[in-house]
Amino acid sequence: MSIILMRHGKPDHYVPGRVPALAMAEWCEAYDLSIVQDLPPEKSLRLAAMADYVVSSPLPRARSSLAKLRLEPAHTDPLYSEVSLPVIKLSYPHLPPSLWLALLHLLWFCGYAGSVESLDQAKQRAALAANKLIELSSRGNVLLLGHGIMNKLIARHLRKSGWLAEKHASSRHWSAAIYHPPIIS
């Protein structure tokens, strides 16, 4: 009855050069449509094989990661999708996408959401996702193939619910966190 939160593999998406903040909306849209380019490490294959029930985000990078693990999800749900980044309508300066990603994430964590889901809304969605995973764990070990930030928010709610972390969530591709039910309920 464990819950395994696994992040997708490395997406086949790269935009070279420098772009304005306004172009990041298109960058993020293309990223959301990308599939993974790498193969899972042996450790990820072993963890995935432990799953009795598999759930996934509907985004292609999550679904293609499952295919590389040779698994089909029993259930896909946007509840497990990654958070969206806010858009800033600036045509200057031109920065590398990786720097814009860091800045947009920082702004989002500091409270700026613009027209996308806020941090508080994402936390509420993560609580719903964690509760759904806890419910599904009655069927055995559950594997969620998801995304970096949402997996971390789900992990936080699992810990608040008394679940014990064998391994904490990481931001690396193919990383996994394992949670066990509370010893005393």
Side-chain angles (χ1 to χ4, degrees), residues 7-8 17-18 22 32 35 44 54 56 67 70-72 92-93 107 110 122 132 134 143-144 148 157-158 160 165:
R7 186 175 183 219
H8 58 80
R18 296 169 177 260
L22 195 53
D32 280 346
I35 60 173
S44 297
V54 179
S56 171
R70 298 183 292 276
L71 294 173
E72 280 291 323
Y92 189 81
L107 286 171
C110 289
K132 180 71 175 170
I134 290 168
L143 169 67
L144 165 63
H157 187 77
L158 288 172
K160 283 182 182 177

Side-chain angles (χ1 to χ4, degrees), residues 55-137:
V55 295
S56 171
S57 154
L59 293 173
R61 61 188 183 271
R63 298 293 305 270
S64 63
S65 294
L66 276 179
K68 295 209 177 201
L69 291 167
R70 298 183 292 276
L71 294 173
E72 280 291 323
H75 182 70
T76 59
D77 194 328
L79 189 64
Y80 307 116
S81 291
E82 183 62 295
V83 300
S84 296
L85 289 176
V87 174
I88 299 177
K89 297 182 180 183
L90 291 175
S91 57
Y92 189 81
H94 287 65
L95 300 172
S98 59
L99 186 53
W100 278 123
L101 287 172
L103 290 170
L104 293 171
H105 277 116
L106 180 63
L107 286 171
W108 186 78
F109 277 111
C110 289
Y112 175 75
S115 62
V116 300
E117 176 183 49
S118 70
L119 177 58
D120 286 340
Q121 291 167 327
K123 285 179 180 179
Q124 290 171 6
R125 181 164 60 93
L128 292 173
N131 290 337
K132 180 71 175 170
L133 293 171
I134 290 168
E135 179 184 312
L136 291 172
S137 73

